[in-house]
Amino acid sequence: MSLTLALLAAAASSAVQAGSSPSTDEARIRQIIAEEESAWNRGDAQAYASHFEEEGGFTNVLGTVYYGRHAFEERHAQIFATVFKNTVLSMIVQKIRFIRPDVALVDIDTEMRGFKALPPGVHAPAVGGLRTRLLQVMSRRAATGGFAAYHNIDVKGP
C-alpha cells in the first residue's frame, strides 16, 4: 500500500471513530462546556478561565482580541463585576467536529439573560437575551484538555 493510501485510511479511520458515537473526548468536551456555563453563572472568572490554554487566543463579541489565560480571566472578571454581573448564560453545543484526533472545533449557541447593558454595537432582541455563536478550538494539549481559541460573535438576526 502506498504512503498516500495509508495516510488516507488512517484519516478515514480517525474520522469514523470520532464521528460514529459519543467518544470519551466528546464527553469531556461537553463536560468542559457545562463547567464553563456553571462558572459564568456563579460569576467566577477564575473557574471560567480554568480550561483556557496558557497561550490561547480570545476574540470577544466586539472583535477585540486577547491572548493568554491571564488576559481571558482578567477580562471576564471585569465584565462579571460590571455589565454582566449576575447574568445567566445558557450554552448549547451544536456540533463537535474533530479535525485531528486531538483537536476539535466546537460550535456553541449561547444565550445570556439579566445583563445591565450591552457594549456599543452589540444588540439583543427586545424580547429574550443576548444570543451569540461561539467557536471553541479544543485541544488535548493541556493536561486536562482545554480550549486554545475562543471566538464569539453576537447573532444579528432571528
Side-chain angles (χ1 to χ4, degrees), residues 40 58 74-87:
W40 180 290
F58 161 53
E74 187 175 78
R75 179 63 186 144
H76 284 88
Q78 291 169 351
I79 63 174
F80 290 164
T82 58
V83 295
F84 295 158
K85 185 175 185 170
N86 299 321
T87 55

Side-chain angles (χ1 to χ4, degrees), residues 120-134:
V122 177
H123 302 286
V127 177
L130 172 64
R131 293 181 305 132
T132 72
R133 299 257 161 71
L134 173 61

Side-chain angles (χ1 to χ4, degrees), residues 1 35 46 54 58 63 69 72-73 77 112 125 135-136:
M1 177 186 296
E35 289 171 11
Q46 184 176 15
E54 204 58 48
F58 161 53
R69 180 184 299 150
F72 184 81
E73 180 180 334
M112 182 184 51
L135 173 65
Q136 290 188 6

